[in-house]
Amino acid sequence: MANLDRRTGSFQDHPSPYACDPDSSRGRLYPEADCSSRDCFQRDRDRVIHSTAFRRLTHKTQVFLYHEGDHYRTRLTHTIEVAQVARAISRQLGLNEDLTEALALAHDLGHPPFGHAGERALQRAAKDHGGFDHNAQSLRVVTALERKYARFDGLNLTWETLEGLVKHNGPLLGAHSRDTLGALPAAIADYNRRHDLWLDRFASAEAQVAALADDIAYNSHDLDDGLRAGLIDEEALGDVPLVGQYFAALKAEYGDLSGSRLHYEINRRLITDLIVDVATESRHRLDRHRPADCDAVRMADAPVIAFSGHMAQELGELSVFLFAEVYRAPRVMAIMSQAEMMVAELFERYFDDTGLLPAGWRADIAPLADTERGPRIVDFVAGMTDRYAIEEHRRLFDCTPELISPGVHP
Ligand code: MG
């Protein structure tokens, strides 16, 4: 293992040969002059941070609604935790940390209000209007929906950031695609016709790191939030997959440790072990495969960044546990089914009467054919924060659910 250089904070003083090199970027769809103080991946990261969609993540749900408590993760703090984990892995492997960070920060920009409840509602509502996929929506946000620059719509990010954003979970076409999407989402197919993102190949190692950093972040912080919410019993922690060993060790060392100190001591051990596992397994894969450059990573037959088989299985068991105990907890489900209905009703109401949309959206939609209106209303609803969706529902309907579970007093 490379030694940590205390001066640069890096594990090696030169990038790995398979890291993405900003000087060899395939560039932007709309050519732009170089910046004197930042390379192209640093600019991409900064463009994401300064986007409107990024700020909206503050008021979008991760698992718990914002009014359920100030200490639960929001989609924004989730994103920041993903970026932290992604940078840590990227640095250990000598990858391009700026590209990794840009991808982590952008990965959930297309997430609708109310987390997966909002996503389910939009998938149903958009069935006859091109469908909805939050990953494809992230691409739409950064290539079309952000309206900030004089010369183009979107953020005009580099090819490497865009290909990483759409393929971080693997190729979307061809022999290596996981085929979970069904048809290629229209938003991705449309953009790909203008800017070929090599949809049948793997993404860069940086994008693969961002994808696993998402898994590490949400499994660990959803466990932490589940404990905070009282959905997971502290006394039962010894039986939780992967986590039981930390609980036993902490009990042996500290005896009566409980509450937030216990939760955090578990959380930090979990994050560290997952990061070390990915870095170790990926280093083995890279040593075996020896990709000559970043395109060799894309052309490989399998991902180069991965958990070990043993850890993948244990993490899978933890995910199943969290699904049952947290995401499907009656208290969470009660609120989310109300939220799902709210999103579905909003879509229908705007679709039936586009005059209810804000002026800018009305003007955009006015010249469109009837068949083109649906996808634009999906764009509008997907961009909403939880807070704005509730406000709009109150404006447009006589009765809006309180989104509070019985017995919970925010
Ligand atoms: Mg995420």
Coordinates of all heavy atoms in Angstrom, one line a residue, residues 62 75 78-79 82 104 107-108 111 116 134 168 210 213-215 217-218 221, ligand 1:
Q62 N -34.2 12.4 2.0 CA -33.4 11.2 1.9 C -34.3 10.0 2.3 O -34.8 9.2 1.5 CB -32.1 11.2 2.7 CG -31.3 10.0 2.8 CD -30.8 9.6 1.4 OE1 -30.6 10.4 0.5 NE2 -30.6 8.3 1.2
R75 N -31.2 15.1 1.2 CA -30.6 14.7 0.0 C -29.2 15.5 -0.2 O -28.3 14.9 -0.7 CB -31.5 15.0 -1.2 CG -31.2 14.4 -2.5 CD -31.1 12.9 -2.6 NE -32.3 12.1 -2.2 CZ -32.4 10.8 -2.3 NH1 -31.4 10.1 -2.7 NH2 -33.5 10.2 -1.9
H78 N -26.7 13.9 2.4 CA -26.4 12.6 1.8 C -25.3 12.8 0.7 O -24.3 12.1 0.7 CB -27.6 11.9 1.2 CG -27.3 10.9 0.2 ND1 -26.7 9.7 0.5 CD2 -27.5 10.9 -1.2 CE1 -26.6 9.0 -0.6 NE2 -27.0 9.7 -1.6
T79 N -25.6 13.7 -0.2 CA -24.7 14.0 -1.3 C -23.3 14.4 -0.8 O -22.2 13.9 -1.3 CB -25.3 15.1 -2.2 OG1 -26.5 14.6 -2.7 CG2 -24.3 15.6 -3.2
V82 N -21.5 11.3 0.4 CA -21.1 10.5 -0.7 C -19.8 11.1 -1.2 O -18.8 10.3 -1.5 CB -22.1 10.4 -1.8 CG1 -21.6 9.7 -3.1 CG2 -23.4 9.7 -1.4
A104 N -19.8 12.7 -7.6 CA -20.6 12.4 -6.4 C -21.6 13.5 -6.1 O -22.7 13.3 -5.7 CB -19.6 12.2 -5.2
H107 N -24.6 13.3 -8.5 CA -25.3 12.0 -8.8 C -26.8 12.0 -8.4 O -27.5 11.2 -9.0 CB -24.6 10.8 -8.0 CG -25.0 10.6 -6.6 ND1 -24.7 11.4 -5.6 CD2 -25.9 9.7 -6.1 CE1 -25.2 10.9 -4.5 NE2 -26.0 9.9 -4.8
D108 N -27.2 12.8 -7.5 CA -28.7 12.8 -7.2 C -29.4 14.1 -7.6 O -30.5 14.4 -7.1 CB -28.8 12.6 -5.7 CG -29.0 11.1 -5.3 OD1 -29.1 10.3 -6.2 OD2 -29.0 10.8 -4.1
H111 N -33.0 13.7 -8.5 CA -34.0 13.1 -7.6 C -35.2 14.0 -7.4 O -35.1 15.1 -7.1 CB -33.3 12.8 -6.3 CG -33.4 11.3 -5.9 ND1 -34.7 10.8 -5.6 CD2 -32.6 10.3 -5.8 CE1 -34.5 9.5 -5.3 NE2 -33.3 9.2 -5.4
H116 N -37.8 8.1 -2.7 CA -38.3 7.1 -3.7 C -39.8 7.1 -3.8 O -40.3 6.6 -4.8 CB -37.8 5.7 -3.2 CG -36.3 5.6 -3.4 ND1 -35.7 5.6 -4.6 CD2 -35.3 5.7 -2.5 CE1 -34.4 5.6 -4.4 NE2 -34.1 5.6 -3.2
H134 N -34.4 8.6 -12.3 CA -33.8 9.7 -11.7 C -32.4 9.9 -12.2 O -31.8 11.0 -12.2 CB -33.8 9.6 -10.1 CG -32.8 8.8 -9.5 ND1 -33.0 7.5 -9.0 CD2 -31.5 9.1 -9.2 CE1 -31.9 7.1 -8.5 NE2 -30.9 8.0 -8.6
H168 N -22.6 5.4 -14.0 CA -21.9 5.0 -12.8 C -22.3 3.6 -12.3 O -21.6 3.0 -11.6 CB -21.9 6.1 -11.7 CG -23.3 6.4 -11.2 ND1 -24.0 7.5 -11.7 CD2 -24.1 5.8 -10.3 CE1 -25.2 7.5 -11.0 NE2 -25.2 6.5 -10.2
A210 N -17.6 6.7 -7.3 CA -18.7 7.5 -6.9 C -19.9 6.6 -6.6 O -20.7 6.8 -5.7 CB -19.0 8.6 -7.9
A213 N -19.4 4.7 -3.4 CA -19.5 5.6 -2.3 C -20.9 5.9 -1.9 O -21.2 6.1 -0.7 CB -18.7 6.9 -2.7
D214 N -21.8 5.9 -2.9 CA -23.2 6.1 -2.7 C -23.7 5.0 -1.8 O -24.4 5.2 -0.8 CB -24.0 6.2 -4.0 CG -25.4 6.6 -3.9 OD1 -25.8 7.2 -2.8 OD2 -26.2 6.4 -4.8
D215 N -23.4 3.8 -2.1 CA -23.8 2.6 -1.4 C -23.3 2.7 0.1 O -24.0 2.4 1.0 CB -23.3 1.3 -2.0 CG -23.9 1.0 -3.3 OD1 -24.8 1.7 -3.7 OD2 -23.4 0.1 -4.0
A217 N -22.3 5.4 1.8 CA -22.9 6.5 2.5 C -24.4 6.2 2.9 O -24.7 6.3 4.1 CB -22.9 7.8 1.6
Y218 N -25.2 5.7 2.0 CA -26.6 5.6 2.4 C -26.8 4.4 3.3 O -27.6 4.5 4.3 CB -27.6 5.6 1.2 CG -27.7 4.3 0.4 CD1 -28.4 3.2 0.9 CD2 -27.3 4.3 -0.9 CE1 -28.6 2.1 0.1 CE2 -27.4 3.1 -1.7 CZ -28.1 2.0 -1.1 OH -28.2 0.9 -1.9
H221 N -25.5 5.9 6.8 CA -26.3 7.0 7.4 C -27.8 6.6 7.6 O -28.5 7.1 8.5 CB -26.1 8.3 6.8 CG -26.5 8.5 5.4 ND1 -27.8 8.2 4.9 CD2 -25.9 9.1 4.3 CE1 -27.9 8.5 3.6 NE2 -26.8 9.0 3.2
Ligands
MG1 MG -27.5 8.8 -3.8

